[in-house]
Coordinates of all heavy atoms in Angstrom, one line a residue:
M16 N -96.7 167.0 -3.4 CA -95.5 167.1 -2.5 C -94.4 166.2 -3.0 O -94.7 165.1 -3.5 CB -95.9 166.6 -1.1 CG -96.6 167.7 -0.3 SD -96.9 167.1 1.4 CE -98.2 168.1 1.9
P17 N -93.2 166.6 -2.8 CA -92.1 165.8 -3.3 C -92.0 164.5 -2.4 O -92.3 164.6 -1.2 CB -90.9 166.7 -3.1 CG -91.2 167.7 -2.1 CD -92.7 167.9 -2.2
G18 N -91.5 163.4 -3.0 CA -91.3 162.2 -2.1 C -92.5 161.3 -2.0 O -92.4 160.4 -1.2
G19 N -93.6 161.6 -2.6 CA -94.8 160.8 -2.5 C -95.3 160.7 -1.1 O -95.1 161.6 -0.3
T20 N -96.0 159.6 -0.8 CA -96.6 159.4 0.5 C -95.6 159.5 1.7 O -95.9 160.1 2.7 CB -97.3 158.1 0.6 OG1 -98.2 157.9 -0.5 CG2 -98.2 157.9 1.8
R21 N -94.4 158.8 1.5 CA -93.4 158.9 2.5 C -92.9 160.3 2.8 O -92.7 160.7 3.9 CB -92.3 158.0 2.2 CG -91.3 157.9 3.3 CD -90.2 156.8 3.1 NE -90.7 155.5 3.0 CZ -90.0 154.4 2.6 NH1 -88.7 154.6 2.3 NH2 -90.5 153.3 2.6
G22 N -92.7 161.0 1.7 CA -92.3 162.4 1.8 C -93.3 163.3 2.5 O -93.0 164.1 3.4
A23 N -94.5 163.0 2.2 CA -95.6 163.8 2.9 C -95.7 163.5 4.3 O -95.9 164.4 5.2 CB -97.0 163.5 2.1
A24 N -95.6 162.2 4.6 CA -95.6 161.8 6.1 C -94.5 162.4 6.9 O -94.7 162.8 8.0 CB -95.6 160.2 6.1
D25 N -93.3 162.4 6.2 CA -92.2 163.0 6.9 C -92.4 164.5 7.2 O -92.1 165.0 8.2 CB -90.9 162.8 6.0 CG -89.7 163.5 6.6 OD1 -89.4 163.1 7.8 OD2 -89.1 164.3 6.0
L26 N -93.0 165.2 6.1 CA -93.2 166.7 6.3 C -94.2 166.9 7.4 O -94.0 167.8 8.3 CB -93.8 167.3 5.0 CG -92.8 167.8 4.0 CD1 -93.6 168.2 2.8 CD2 -92.0 168.9 4.5
V27 N -95.3 166.1 7.5 CA -96.3 166.2 8.5 C -95.7 165.9 9.9 O -96.0 166.6 10.9 CB -97.5 165.3 8.2 CG1 -98.5 165.3 9.4 CG2 -98.3 165.8 6.9
A28 N -94.8 165.0 10.0 CA -94.2 164.6 11.3 C -93.3 165.8 11.7 O -93.2 166.2 12.9 CB -93.3 163.3 11.1
R29 N -92.6 166.3 10.7 CA -91.7 167.5 11.1 C -92.5 168.7 11.5 O -92.2 169.5 12.4 CB -90.8 167.8 9.9 CG -89.7 166.8 9.7 CD -88.9 167.0 8.5 NE -88.5 168.4 8.2 CZ -88.5 168.9 7.0 NH1 -88.8 168.2 5.9 NH2 -88.2 170.2 6.8
E30 N -93.7 168.9 10.8 CA -94.6 170.0 11.2 C -95.1 169.8 12.6 O -95.1 170.8 13.4 CB -95.7 170.0 10.2 CG -96.8 171.1 10.4 CD -96.4 172.3 9.6 OE1 -95.3 172.4 8.9 OE2 -97.1 173.3 9.7
K31 N -95.4 168.6 12.9 CA -96.0 168.3 14.3 C -94.9 168.6 15.3 O -95.2 169.3 16.4 CB -96.4 166.9 14.4 CG -97.1 166.5 15.7 CD -97.6 165.2 15.7 CE -98.2 164.9 17.1 NZ -98.9 163.5 17.1
A32 N -93.7 168.2 15.1 CA -92.6 168.4 16.1 C -92.3 169.9 16.2 O -92.1 170.4 17.3 CB -91.3 167.7 15.6
Y33 N -92.3 170.6 15.1 CA -92.0 172.0 15.1 C -93.1 172.8 15.9 O -92.8 173.7 16.7 CB -92.0 172.6 13.7 CG -91.7 174.0 13.5 CD1 -90.5 174.6 13.8 CD2 -92.7 174.8 12.9 CE1 -90.2 175.9 13.6 CE2 -92.4 176.2 12.7 CZ -91.2 176.7 13.0 OH -91.0 178.1 12.8
C34 N -94.4 172.4 15.6 CA -95.5 173.0 16.3 C -95.4 172.7 17.8 O -95.6 173.6 18.6 CB -96.8 172.3 15.8 SG -98.3 172.8 16.7
Q35 N -95.1 171.5 18.3 CA -95.0 171.1 19.6 C -93.9 171.9 20.4 O -94.1 172.3 21.5 CB -94.9 169.6 19.8 CG -96.3 169.0 19.4 CD -96.3 167.5 19.6 OE1 -95.3 166.9 19.7 NE2 -97.5 166.9 19.5
E36 N -92.8 172.1 19.6 CA -91.7 172.9 20.2 C -92.2 174.3 20.5 O -91.9 174.9 21.6 CB -90.6 172.9 19.1 CG -89.2 173.4 19.5 CD -88.4 173.3 18.2 OE1 -88.2 172.2 17.6 OE2 -87.9 174.4 17.8
L37 N -92.9 174.9 19.6 CA -93.4 176.3 19.8 C -94.5 176.4 20.8 O -94.7 177.4 21.4 CB -93.8 176.9 18.5 CG -92.6 177.1 17.5 CD1 -93.1 177.4 16.1 CD2 -91.8 178.3 18.0
R38 N -95.4 175.3 20.9 CA -96.4 175.2 21.9 C -95.7 175.3 23.3 O -96.2 176.0 24.2 CB -97.2 173.9 21.8 CG -98.0 173.8 20.5 CD -99.4 174.6 20.6 NE -100.3 173.9 21.5 CZ -100.7 174.5 22.7 NH1 -100.3 175.7 23.1 NH2 -101.5 173.9 23.5
K39 N -94.6 174.5 23.4 CA -93.9 174.5 24.7 C -93.3 175.8 25.0 O -93.2 176.2 26.2 CB -92.9 173.3 24.8 CG -93.5 172.0 24.9 CD -92.4 170.9 24.9 CE -93.0 169.5 24.6 NZ -92.2 168.6 23.9
S40 N -92.7 176.5 24.0 CA -92.1 177.8 24.3 C -93.1 178.9 24.5 O -92.8 180.0 25.0 CB -91.2 178.2 23.1 OG -92.0 178.7 22.0
G41 N -94.4 178.6 24.2 CA -95.5 179.6 24.4 C -95.8 180.5 23.3 O -96.7 181.3 23.4
E42 N -95.0 180.4 22.2 CA -95.3 181.3 21.1 C -96.6 180.8 20.3 O -97.2 181.6 19.6 CB -94.1 181.4 20.2 CG -93.0 182.2 20.7 CD -91.8 182.2 19.8 OE1 -91.1 181.2 19.7 OE2 -91.5 183.3 19.2
W43 N -96.8 179.5 20.2 CA -97.9 178.9 19.5 C -98.9 178.5 20.6 O -98.8 177.5 21.2 CB -97.5 177.7 18.7 CG -98.4 177.2 17.7 CD1 -99.8 177.3 17.7 CD2 -98.1 176.7 16.3 NE1 -100.3 176.8 16.4 CE2 -99.3 176.4 15.7 CE3 -96.9 176.3 15.8 CZ2 -99.3 175.9 14.4 CZ3 -96.9 175.7 14.5 CH2 -98.1 175.6 13.9
V44 N -99.9 179.4 20.8 CA -100.8 179.3 22.0 C -101.8 178.3 21.8 O -102.2 177.6 22.8 CB -101.3 180.7 22.3 CG1 -102.2 180.7 23.6 CG2 -100.2 181.7 22.6
H45 N -102.5 178.4 20.6 CA -103.6 177.4 20.3 C -103.5 176.9 18.9 O -103.0 177.6 18.0 CB -105.0 178.1 20.4 CG -105.3 178.6 21.8 ND1 -105.7 177.8 22.8 CD2 -105.4 179.9 22.3 CE1 -106.0 178.5 23.9 NE2 -105.8 179.8 23.6
I46 N -103.9 175.7 18.7 CA -104.1 175.1 17.4 C -105.4 174.3 17.4 O -105.6 173.4 18.2 CB -102.9 174.3 16.9 CG1 -103.2 173.8 15.4 CG2 -102.5 173.1 17.8 CD1 -102.0 173.3 14.7
W47 N -106.3 174.7 16.5 CA -107.6 174.0 16.4 C -107.8 173.5 15.0 O -107.4 174.2 14.0 CB -108.8 175.0 16.7 CG -108.8 175.4 18.1 CD1 -108.2 176.5 18.6 CD2 -109.6 174.8 19.2 NE1 -108.5 176.6 20.0 CE2 -109.3 175.6 20.3 CE3 -110.3 173.6 19.2 CZ2 -109.9 175.2 21.5 CZ3 -110.9 173.3 20.5 CH2 -110.6 174.1 21.6
R48 N -108.3 172.3 14.8 CA -108.7 171.8 13.6 C -110.0 172.3 13.1 O -110.9 172.5 13.9 CB -108.8 170.2 13.6 CG -109.2 169.5 12.4 CD -108.2 169.6 11.3 NE -107.1 168.8 11.4 CZ -105.8 169.1 10.9 NH1 -105.6 170.3 10.4 NH2 -104.8 168.3 11.1
C49 N -110.0 172.8 11.8 CA -111.3 173.3 11.2 C -112.1 172.0 10.8 O -111.5 171.2 10.0 CB -111.0 174.1 10.0 SG -110.0 175.6 10.5
V50 N -113.2 171.9 11.4 CA -114.0 170.6 11.2 C -114.3 170.4 9.7 O -114.7 171.3 8.9 CB -115.3 170.7 11.9 CG1 -116.2 169.5 11.6 CG2 -115.1 170.8 13.4
G51 N -113.9 169.2 9.2 CA -114.2 168.8 7.9 C -113.2 169.3 6.8 O -113.4 169.2 5.7
Q52 N -112.1 169.9 7.3 CA -111.1 170.4 6.4 C -109.7 170.0 6.9 O -109.5 169.8 8.0 CB -111.1 171.9 6.4 CG -112.5 172.6 6.0 CD -112.4 174.1 6.3 OE1 -111.5 174.8 5.8 NE2 -113.3 174.6 7.0
Y53 N -108.8 169.9 5.9 CA -107.4 169.8 6.3 C -106.9 171.2 6.5 O -106.2 171.8 5.6 CB -106.5 169.0 5.3 CG -105.2 168.8 5.9 CD1 -105.0 168.0 7.0 CD2 -104.0 169.4 5.4 CE1 -103.7 167.8 7.6 CE2 -102.8 169.3 6.0 CZ -102.6 168.5 7.0 OH -101.4 168.3 7.6
A54 N -107.3 171.8 7.6 CA -107.0 173.2 7.9 C -107.0 173.4 9.4 O -107.6 172.6 10.1 CB -108.0 174.2 7.2
N55 N -106.3 174.4 9.8 CA -106.3 174.7 11.3 C -106.4 176.2 11.5 O -106.2 177.0 10.6 CB -105.1 174.2 12.0 CG -103.8 174.9 11.7 OD1 -103.6 176.1 12.1 ND2 -102.9 174.3 10.9
I56 N -106.9 176.6 12.7 CA -106.8 178.0 13.1 C -105.9 177.9 14.3 O -106.0 177.1 15.3 CB -108.2 178.5 13.5 CG1 -109.1 178.6 12.2 CG2 -108.1 179.8 14.3 CD1 -110.5 179.3 12.5
S57 N -104.9 178.8 14.3 CA -103.9 178.8 15.3 C -103.8 180.3 15.9 O -104.1 181.2 15.2 CB -102.5 178.4 14.7 OG -102.5 177.1 14.4
V58 N -103.5 180.3 17.1 CA -103.2 181.6 17.8 C -101.8 181.6 18.2 O -101.3 180.7 18.9 CB -104.1 181.8 19.0 CG1 -103.8 183.1 19.7 CG2 -105.6 181.8 18.6
F59 N -101.0 182.7 17.8 CA -99.6 182.8 18.2 C -99.5 184.0 19.1 O -100.2 185.0 19.0 CB -98.8 183.1 16.9 CG -98.7 181.9 16.0 CD1 -99.7 181.8 15.0 CD2 -97.7 180.9 16.2 CE1 -99.6 180.6 14.1 CE2 -97.7 179.8 15.3 CZ -98.6 179.7 14.3
D60 N -98.6 184.0 20.0 CA -98.2 185.2 20.9 C -96.8 185.4 20.7 O -95.9 184.7 21.2 CB -98.5 184.8 22.4 CG -98.3 186.0 23.3 OD1 -98.0 187.1 22.8 OD2 -98.5 185.8 24.5
V61 N -96.5 186.5 19.9 CA -95.1 186.7 19.4 C -94.8 188.2 19.7 O -95.7 189.0 19.9 CB -95.0 186.5 17.9 CG1 -95.1 185.0 17.6 CG2 -96.0 187.2 17.1
A62 N -93.5 188.4 19.7 CA -93.0 189.8 20.0 C -93.4 190.8 19.0 O -93.7 191.9 19.3 CB -91.5 189.7 20.3
D63 N -93.3 190.4 17.7 CA -93.6 191.3 16.6 C -93.8 190.6 15.3 O -93.8 189.3 15.2 CB -92.3 192.3 16.5 CG -91.0 191.5 16.4 OD1 -91.0 190.4 15.9 OD2 -90.0 192.1 16.9
N64 N -94.1 191.3 14.3 CA -94.4 190.8 13.0 C -93.2 189.9 12.5 O -93.4 188.8 11.8 CB -94.7 191.8 11.9 CG -96.0 192.5 12.2 OD1 -96.9 191.9 12.9 ND2 -96.2 193.6 11.6
E65 N -92.0 190.3 12.7 CA -90.8 189.6 12.2 C -90.8 188.2 12.9 O -90.5 187.2 12.3 CB -89.5 190.3 12.5 CG -89.3 191.5 11.6 CD -90.2 192.7 11.8 OE1 -90.7 192.8 12.9 OE2 -90.5 193.4 10.8
A66 N -91.2 188.1 14.2 CA -91.1 186.8 14.9 C -92.2 185.9 14.3 O -91.9 184.7 14.0 CB -91.4 187.0 16.4
L67 N -93.3 186.5 13.9 CA -94.4 185.6 13.4 C -94.0 185.1 12.0 O -94.1 184.0 11.6 CB -95.8 186.4 13.3 CG -96.9 185.6 12.7 CD1 -97.2 184.3 13.4 CD2 -98.2 186.4 12.6
H68 N -93.4 186.1 11.2 CA -92.9 185.7 9.9 C -91.9 184.6 9.9 O -92.0 183.7 9.2 CB -92.3 187.0 9.2 CG -92.0 186.7 7.8 ND1 -92.9 186.6 6.8 CD2 -90.7 186.5 7.2 CE1 -92.3 186.4 5.7 NE2 -91.0 186.3 5.8
R69 N -91.0 184.7 10.9 CA -90.0 183.6 11.0 C -90.6 182.3 11.3 O -90.3 181.3 10.7 CB -89.0 184.0 12.1 CG -87.9 183.0 12.5 CD -87.1 183.4 13.6 NE -87.8 183.9 14.8 CZ -88.5 183.2 15.7 NH1 -88.6 181.9 15.6 NH2 -89.1 183.8 16.7
I70 N -91.5 182.3 12.2 CA -92.3 181.0 12.5 C -92.9 180.5 11.4 O -92.8 179.3 11.1 CB -93.3 181.3 13.7 CG1 -92.5 181.5 15.0 CG2 -94.2 180.1 13.9 CD1 -93.4 182.0 16.2
L71 N -93.7 181.3 10.7 CA -94.5 180.7 9.6 C -93.6 180.3 8.4 O -93.8 179.2 7.8 CB -95.5 181.9 9.1 CG -96.5 182.3 10.1 CD1 -97.4 183.4 9.5 CD2 -97.4 181.1 10.6
W72 N -92.6 181.1 8.1 CA -91.6 180.8 7.0 C -91.0 179.5 7.3 O -90.7 178.7 6.3 CB -90.6 181.9 6.9 CG -89.7 181.8 5.7 CD1 -88.5 181.2 5.7 CD2 -90.0 182.3 4.4 NE1 -88.0 181.3 4.5 CE2 -88.8 182.0 3.6 CE3 -91.0 183.1 3.8 CZ2 -88.7 182.4 2.3 CZ3 -90.9 183.4 2.5 CH2 -89.8 183.1 1.8
N73 N -90.7 179.1 8.5 CA -90.0 177.9 8.8 C -90.9 176.7 9.0 O -90.4 175.6 9.3 CB -89.1 178.1 10.1 CG -87.9 179.0 9.8 OD1 -87.2 178.7 8.8 ND2 -87.7 180.0 10.5
L74 N -92.2 176.9 8.9 CA -93.1 175.7 8.9 C -92.7 174.7 7.8 O -92.6 175.1 6.6 CB -94.5 176.1 8.7 CG -95.3 176.9 9.8 CD1 -96.5 177.5 9.3 CD2 -95.6 175.9 10.9
P75 N -92.5 173.5 8.1 CA -92.1 172.5 7.0 C -93.2 172.5 5.9 O -92.8 172.2 4.8 CB -92.1 171.2 7.8 CG -91.6 171.6 9.2 CD -92.3 172.8 9.5
L76 N -94.4 172.7 6.3 CA -95.5 172.7 5.2 C -95.7 174.0 4.6 O -96.6 174.2 3.7 CB -96.8 172.2 5.8 CG -96.8 170.7 6.2 CD1 -98.1 170.3 7.0 CD2 -96.8 169.8 4.9
F77 N -94.9 175.0 5.0 CA -95.2 176.4 4.5 C -95.3 176.5 2.9 O -96.2 177.2 2.5 CB -94.0 177.3 4.9 CG -94.2 178.7 4.5 CD1 -95.0 179.6 5.2 CD2 -93.5 179.2 3.4 CE1 -95.2 180.9 4.7 CE2 -93.7 180.5 2.9 CZ -94.5 181.4 3.6
P78 N -94.5 175.8 2.1 CA -94.6 176.0 0.7 C -95.9 175.5 0.2 O -96.3 175.8 -1.0 CB -93.4 175.1 0.2 CG -92.5 174.9 1.3 CD -93.3 174.9 2.6
Y79 N -96.6 174.7 0.9 CA -97.9 174.0 0.4 C -99.1 174.7 1.1 O -100.3 174.2 0.9 CB -97.9 172.6 0.7 CG -96.6 171.9 0.2 CD1 -95.6 171.6 1.2 CD2 -96.3 171.7 -1.1 CE1 -94.3 171.1 0.8 CE2 -95.1 171.1 -1.5 CZ -94.2 170.9 -0.6 OH -92.9 170.4 -1.0
M80 N -98.9 175.8 1.9 CA -100.0 176.3 2.7 C -100.5 177.6 2.1 O -99.8 178.3 1.4 CB -99.5 176.6 4.1 CG -99.3 175.5 5.0 SD -98.6 176.1 6.5 CE -99.1 174.8 7.6
S81 N -101.7 177.8 2.4 CA -102.4 179.1 2.2 C -102.6 179.7 3.6 O -103.3 179.1 4.4 CB -103.7 178.9 1.4 OG -104.4 180.2 1.4
I82 N -102.0 180.8 3.9 CA -102.1 181.4 5.3 C -102.8 182.7 5.2 O -102.4 183.6 4.4 CB -100.7 181.5 5.9 CG1 -100.0 180.1 5.9 CG2 -100.7 182.2 7.3 CD1 -98.6 180.2 6.5
E83 N -103.6 182.9 6.2 CA -104.3 184.2 6.4 C -103.9 184.6 7.8 O -104.1 183.9 8.8 CB -105.8 184.1 6.2 CG -106.5 185.5 6.2 CD -108.0 185.2 6.0 OE1 -108.4 184.4 5.2 OE2 -108.8 186.0 6.7
V84 N -103.4 185.9 7.9 CA -103.0 186.4 9.2 C -103.9 187.5 9.7 O -104.2 188.4 8.9 CB -101.5 186.9 9.2 CG1 -101.2 187.5 10.6 CG2 -100.6 185.8 8.9
T85 N -104.5 187.4 10.9 CA -105.4 188.4 11.5 C -104.8 188.9 12.8 O -104.8 188.1 13.8 CB -106.8 187.8 11.7 OG1 -107.3 187.3 10.5 CG2 -107.7 188.9 12.2
P86 N -104.3 190.1 12.8 CA -103.7 190.5 14.1 C -104.8 190.7 15.1 O -105.9 191.2 14.8 CB -103.1 191.9 13.8 CG -102.9 191.9 12.3 CD -104.0 191.0 11.8
L87 N -104.6 190.4 16.3 CA -105.6 190.5 17.4 C -105.1 191.4 18.5 O -103.9 191.5 18.7 CB -105.8 189.1 18.0 CG -106.4 188.0 17.1 CD1 -106.5 186.7 17.8 CD2 -107.7 188.3 16.5
A88 N -106.0 192.1 19.1 CA -105.8 192.9 20.3 C -106.6 192.5 21.4 O -107.7 191.9 21.2 CB -106.0 194.4 19.9
Q89 N -106.3 192.9 22.6 CA -107.1 192.5 23.8 C -108.5 193.2 23.7 O -108.6 194.4 23.3 CB -106.4 192.9 25.0 CG -106.9 192.2 26.3 CD -105.9 192.2 27.4 OE1 -105.2 193.1 27.6 NE2 -105.8 191.1 28.1
H90 N -109.6 192.5 24.0 CA -110.9 193.1 24.0 C -111.1 193.7 25.4 O -110.9 193.1 26.4 CB -111.9 192.0 23.6 CG -113.2 192.6 23.3 ND1 -114.1 193.1 24.3 CD2 -113.9 192.8 22.1 CE1 -115.2 193.6 23.7 NE2 -115.1 193.4 22.4
P91 N -111.8 194.9 25.4 CA -112.0 195.5 26.7 C -112.9 194.7 27.6 O -112.9 194.9 28.8 CB -112.6 196.8 26.4 CG -112.9 196.8 25.0 CD -112.1 195.7 24.3
S92 N -113.7 193.8 27.1 CA -114.7 193.0 27.9 C -114.0 191.7 28.3 O -114.7 190.9 29.1 CB -115.9 192.7 27.1 OG -116.6 193.9 26.8
D93 N -112.8 191.4 27.9 CA -112.1 190.2 28.4 C -111.9 190.2 29.9 O -111.5 191.3 30.4 CB -110.8 190.1 27.7 CG -110.1 188.8 27.8 OD1 -110.3 188.2 28.9 OD2 -109.4 188.4 26.9
L94 N -112.3 189.1 30.5 CA -112.2 189.1 31.9 C -110.7 189.3 32.4 O -110.5 189.6 33.6 CB -112.8 187.7 32.5 CG -114.3 187.6 32.3 CD1 -114.7 186.1 32.8 CD2 -115.0 188.6 33.2
L95 N -109.8 188.9 31.6 CA -108.4 189.1 32.0 C -107.8 190.5 31.8 O -106.7 190.7 32.2 CB -107.6 188.1 31.1 CG -107.9 186.6 31.3 CD1 -107.1 185.7 30.4 CD2 -107.6 186.2 32.8
V96 N -108.6 191.4 31.3 CA -108.1 192.7 31.1 C -107.8 193.3 32.4 O -108.5 193.3 33.4 CB -109.1 193.7 30.3 CG1 -108.7 195.1 30.5 CG2 -109.3 193.3 28.9
G97 N -106.6 193.9 32.6 CA -106.1 194.5 33.8 C -105.4 193.5 34.7 O -104.7 193.9 35.7
E98 N -105.5 192.2 34.3 CA -104.7 191.2 35.1 C -103.5 190.8 34.4 O -103.3 191.0 33.2 CB -105.6 189.9 35.3 CG -106.8 190.1 36.1 CD -107.5 188.7 36.3 OE1 -106.9 187.6 36.1 OE2 -108.7 188.8 36.6
E99 N -102.5 190.4 35.2 CA -101.3 190.0 34.6 C -101.5 188.6 34.1 O -102.0 187.7 34.7 CB -100.2 189.9 35.8 CG -98.8 189.7 35.3 CD -98.2 190.9 34.6 OE1 -98.6 192.1 34.9 OE2 -97.4 190.8 33.6
V100 N -101.2 188.5 32.8 CA -101.3 187.1 32.1 C -100.0 186.5 32.0 O -99.0 187.0 31.5 CB -102.0 187.3 30.7 CG1 -102.1 186.0 30.0 CG2 -103.3 188.1 30.7
A101 N -99.9 185.3 32.6 CA -98.6 184.6 32.6 C -98.3 184.1 31.3 O -99.1 183.9 30.4 CB -98.7 183.4 33.6
Ligands
LIG1261 O1 -102.3 169.4 10.3 C1 -102.2 170.6 10.1 O2 -103.1 171.4 10.3 C2 -100.8 171.2 9.9 C3 -100.1 171.4 11.1 C4 -99.7 172.5 11.7 C5 -99.1 172.2 12.9 C6 -99.2 170.8 13.0 O3 -98.9 170.1 13.9 O4 -99.9 170.3 11.9

C-alpha cells in the first residue's frame, strides 16, 4: 500500500467511515469478519448491479481487494416471505 503504515491506517479509517455511512443508509446490511482472516463477508441490499458496482468501486481499499459477488434471492422457507420487510 502507498504511504506505508500511516497510509494503510488512513485507508482503513476511510473504509470504516464509508462502510458505516452505507450501513446507516441501509445499503450495506451486514458485515462479518471471517475468523482468522483479514477478510469479511458482507450483505448489500441495492437497487441493481450498477448500484453495487458503484459501492464496491468506491471502497477505499478496492484496489487491494479480491471480491467475489454472489447474487441472493429470497428463499421460500424464509419466515419473512410474504411479509413486508422494512
Ligand atoms: O476490515 C475489512 O474487512 C475491510 C473493511 C470493509 C469495511 C470496513 O469497515 O472494513
Side-chain angles (χ1 to χ4, degrees):
M16 279 188 205
T20 306
R21 185 175 294 173
D25 179 58
L26 271 176
V27 170
R29 288 172 43 218
E30 182 88 0
K31 182 174 180 176
Y33 181 67
C34 174
Q35 291 181 342
E36 194 180 301
L37 291 164
R38 294 276 293 114
K39 286 179 194 149
S40 78
E42 286 178 290
W43 198 325
V44 182
H45 295 286
I46 180 166
W47 291 91
R48 177 64 78 211
C49 300
V50 174
Q52 302 172 53
Y53 187 67
N55 73 69
I56 290 183
S57 290
V58 176
F59 294 89
D60 185 1
V61 291
D63 50 32
N64 287 343
E65 284 68 31
L67 181 59
H68 184 76
R69 174 184 46 77
I70 287 170
L71 298 178
W72 187 267
N73 287 309
L74 287 165
L76 289 172
F77 180 81
Y79 311 100
M80 286 179 158
S81 170
I82 297 177
E83 188 178 321
V84 174
T85 304
L87 300 174
Q89 198 157 40
H90 193 285
S92 298
D93 189 326
L94 291 175
L95 296 176
V96 168
E98 290 182 23
E99 194 68 32
V100 180

